[in-house]
Amino acid sequence: MTEQIRVRFAPSPTGMLHIGNVRTAFITWLFAQANKGYFLLRIDDTDLERSKPEYEAAIYESLTWLGMSWDELAHQSKRLDRYAEVIEKLKADGRLYACYETPEELSLKRKSQLSQGMPPIYDRGALKLTAEQIAKYEAEGRKPHWRFLMKDEPIIWQDLIRGEVRFEGKDISDPVLIREDGSPLYHLCSVIDDADFGMTHIIRGEDHVSNTAAHLQMFDAIGFNRPQLAHLPLLSDPEGGKLSKRLGALSIIQLRDEVGLEPLSICSLLARLGTSDPIESFASHAPLIESFDISKFGRGTPKFDQEELLRLNSKLIHELDYSAAKIRLAQIGLEEVTEDFWNVVRPNLEKITDIKDWWTVANGPVTPVVNDNEFAAKAIELMPPAPWTPETWKEWTGAIKAETGRKGKELFMPLRQALTGMDHGPELGDLLPLIGPEKAKARLSKQAA
Ligand code: GLU
């Protein structure tokens, strides 16, 4: 029997999840689903000062909204005893050593190395301290931080995305694993958890590549088989710059609540962006899981284009039938939208929230803008008889044009302003039957209706 695939997503609850972190989460989750594997959600909350319960809650909410679930949930803050055990072993094995430099001293060392054209690798000054110097520091009340002693040997792995990756141990600064106050840091906790939870693969952003080189030696030091690794290139904006503008900078919760996107438009984009497969919108996860293969992801930087996301979203909305739409409508406070209304307006929506404008215009109250009473009176006079259909607008404006000689903006704008109270908005042809003759007449007569 082949080994079950075990993967994790490990966010730090120090901020909101954005499109970039959720991409790692979703690809990892798809990998687990496609391989009938196990998916762990691990909350990396050892930074007590920056970790916040509201960020943690938003992680659950964001992932759940996107349709992901996890087989197990772990918190690093609850595993401190276990980390202490491993720390003892690493100290006993001589792989953790105490350092007494202050942050200022370290920064001076770094500056001096850089000014001499040398890489800012820790010089292991702490290993040269005499017993007297250590006693002096201790007497001054200095508390040590602890570093992992890297071995000077090649570190090589076959990355599922980057191919062979090679580092030399001597080129990597010994990472700090324990702070002055005794609390363990990310590198240590992450490696211990990855080992204890039996991770077979680690999928994360390429900003972690050099961390991985150190982590692999740490896996060896704690006696765990090295997992397989996949480092995803980070997303850029459409011009190839840092993803910080507009939609890319918004949290997933904002994309849901403020932009009004469908979860599956985000999932459809993230599953295929940066792969050789075409990006299409899918109304369920199943086809995304079925076509998932990590080897389809390339090394090139994928561009996140919000237009593409909106295009996928409008396609999904156009295909959303009423029973599915009802759930979303309830979430945006529009449970009263009827099936007929939904079917008329959905081809015009890019986002579900666009329906709010349509709903208000159709049902009122609208404060009409009428500047030309004579024209408005003429429009009332020429109103076609009920029932109104999608053809009524053409018929009506044709008659007004023939009678008044107005055309283009002169003809349409005063009607739009009277009927909707706005200068722009949904197509009036589709909207008119929803407004109906009664409200149209009232609004053209300057009554809010
Ligand atoms: N908490 C780390 C982060 O958010 C996890 C990185 C990893 O996947 O190991 O960057």
Side-chain angles (χ1 to χ4, degrees), residues 8-14 17 21 24 28 42-45 76 186 190-191 194 202-205 207-208 211-212 215:
R8 68 353 179 238
F9 174 56
S12 306
T14 53
L17 290 185
N21 347 99
T24 306
T28 309
R42 188 181 88 202
I43 306 294
D44 283 3
D45 56 356
Q76 291 195 323
Y186 158 71
S190 180
V191 168
D194 287 336
I202 295 176
I203 302 173
R204 59 187 171 199
D207 48 335
H208 285 285
N211 287 340
T212 291
H215 291 188

Side-chain angles (χ1 to χ4, degrees), residues 112-182:
S112 126
Q113 284 169 316
L114 289 171
S115 71
Q116 295 170 57
M118 280 156 49
I121 295 173
Y122 177 59
D123 64 1
R124 293 188 171 162
L127 290 177
K128 294 168 205 126
L129 292 176
T130 61
E132 291 77 52
Q133 282 169 312
I134 294 177
K136 192 173 152 261
Y137 284 142
E138 296 273 349
E140 280 171 13
R142 282 203 198 191
K143 294 261 174 294
H145 56 274
W146 296 75
R147 288 188 189 257
F148 177 72
L149 187 72
M150 293 289 295
K151 281 192 177 162
D152 178 9
E153 58 187 31
I155 305 162
I156 302 167
W157 75 88
Q158 293 300 327
D159 196 285
L160 296 180
I161 294 171
R162 300 166 73 83
E164 182 174 300
V165 183
R166 187 188 172 103
F167 281 86
E168 292 301 326
K170 67 172 165 24
D171 295 339
I172 295 172
S173 223
D174 290 341
V176 177
L177 301 193
I178 305 169
R179 294 188 190 90
E180 283 76 24
D181 65 4

Side-chain angles (χ1 to χ4, degrees), residues 67-78:
M68 283 178 252
S69 55
W70 39 96
D71 297 298
E72 199 174 346
L73 175 67
H75 285 83
Q76 291 195 323
S77 57
K78 295 188 185 148

